[in-house]
Amino acid sequence: MPSSRRRTMADLRASYTREPVQAARAGVGRGDLGLDQCSAAQRRFRTLLALHLFNRGLGLEPFASSGVSAFLSYTAAMSPQHDVLTVVLDSAVENVVGRLLSTPAVPHGVAGLRVVAGRYARLYHLVHVPTGARMVITDRFPFASADAMLTGRTPSMIVRDLPGVGLPLSADETHACSVADQVPADMQVLLSAIVARLGAGDPHDHWNWWYWGSPHMTLSGIANSWQLTWTRTPHADELVTAMLDTRFGLSGLDVSRAADGSAARLRLGEAELHLQYGG
């Protein structure tokens, strides 16, 4: 892609995601924004992450009790690339890492997610051990690579009791990963697309996903029929509008929705995700 075209695509992507333009440029694809062009390992990981994020309170176990859904209350910019999911925050890096990884306060975290290298309150390189999918939590872009942090003059500092890659998966983690792996391919694409757009907003303020405040959320289903229910912002109509956005939405998506916008059906290939907003 010519550099001018890539720069234009990166500016457009960043205007929605709020990620640094340099990060957006690293993520744009050939002719598209690159939000949904990811490896199979990343798609499996993002599906698992969706199950953790969208089950809260009375939601599907073992995901609802993990505490990971608190991530949705932070102001974060998602910066998805083909083989890594980067989360860029203005602050609270340490707090977000504490929500995603097993700690004394959150004994479960995202199943199978481990820390590779970390620097207090600034940068953490994570890996999902079962898939090899990488995740980065940072307050800046660009950032040091995991290899540089582990071998450079400034050593990696794991300042909290966080799980490293040598920690075996628990029985609960193995079960959670198994549930995610049973999600069919089309549904994995759909759920991954939602995860990749978390924290985004329309440049002209027609919709935003900046904050998910529902005390109870459930994401569950069988085979290619799933349902996502929640009770507070964002409204279901905002989610649908974003997913249908001609520049930012998911290609190939078919949607039907209720007249009041409180319910909708998203269909991608064989997958159907029913949205039910109860606020």
Side-chain angles (χ1 to χ4, degrees):
M1 182 190 301
S3 60
S4 59
R5 172 64 172 166
R6 179 174 289 275
R7 185 164 52 250
T8 298
M9 296 289 284
D11 288 342
L12 175 61
R13 171 170 149 160
S15 70
Y16 282 90
T17 61
R18 300 178 301 112
E19 67 190 303
V21 173
Q22 190 173 357
R25 189 171 185 179
V28 295
R30 296 183 177 181
D32 62 46
L33 299 184
L35 298 169
D36 305 304
Q37 305 303 320
C38 66
S39 66
Q42 273 292 321
R43 189 163 291 120
R44 288 172 60 197
F45 170 63
R46 294 176 194 182
T47 299
L48 174 69
L49 186 57
L51 285 164
H52 277 290
L53 291 172
F54 296 114
N55 281 291
R56 175 188 290 177
L58 301 177
L60 180 69
E61 294 295 356
F63 306 102
S65 61
S66 69
V68 175
S69 64
F71 171 89
L72 296 173
S73 64
Y74 291 90
T75 302
M78 307 299 278
S79 182
Q81 298 180 33
H82 183 264
D83 59 355
V84 62
L85 179 61
T86 300
V87 180
V88 184
L89 302 121
D90 293 332
S91 60
V93 171
E94 184 79 0
N95 291 346
V96 168
V97 170
R99 297 296 186 181
L100 296 174
L101 292 171
S102 295
T103 66
V106 185
H108 300 293
V110 177
L113 192 62
R114 303 289 188 262
V115 64
V116 176
R119 193 166 291 158
Y120 176 73
R122 292 176 55 190
L123 171 63
Y124 288 86
H125 287 272
L126 314 176
V127 65
H128 183 241
V129 172
T131 62
R134 296 182 295 131
M135 187 179 197
V136 176
I137 313 297
T138 185
D139 66 351
R140 65 198 65 198
F141 194 97
F143 47 78
S145 69
D147 286 344
M149 293 176 69
L150 292 172
T151 62
R153 292 182 179 180
T154 303
S156 170
M157 296 180 293
I158 307 303
V159 296
R160 296 179 59 177
D161 187 20
L162 299 175
V165 293
L167 181 67
L169 269 67
S170 68
D172 283 346
E173 287 183 306
T174 299
H175 172 59
C177 290
S178 175
V179 172
D181 285 343
Q182 292 173 33
V183 177
D186 286 344
M187 185 59 70
Q188 286 192 13
V189 173
L190 186 47
L191 296 179
S192 297
I194 294 174
V195 168
R197 290 163 174 79
L198 290 173
D202 176 72
H204 304 292
D205 295 326
H206 296 307
W207 57 265
N208 75 73
W209 295 8
W210 295 343
Y211 179 75
W212 292 69
S214 179
H216 299 291
M217 292 187 291
T218 302
L219 173 62
S220 62
I222 299 175
N224 269 310
S225 181
W226 284 65
Q227 184 171 19
L228 173 60
T229 64
W230 73 104
T231 58
R232 294 184 186 172
T233 56
H235 194 277
D237 203 45
E238 290 185 277
L239 193 150
V240 171
T241 301
M243 295 295 282
L244 288 175
D245 189 292
T246 56
R247 300 185 297 179
F248 189 69
L250 177 60
S251 177
L253 189 67
D254 176 70
V255 174
S256 60
R257 47 184 154 182
D260 64 357
S262 65
R265 183 203 66 183
L266 309 183
R267 181 164 186 169
L268 182 72
E270 298 297 318
E272 287 192 359
L273 177 62
H274 298 265
L275 307 178
Q276 184 62 58
Y277 173 78

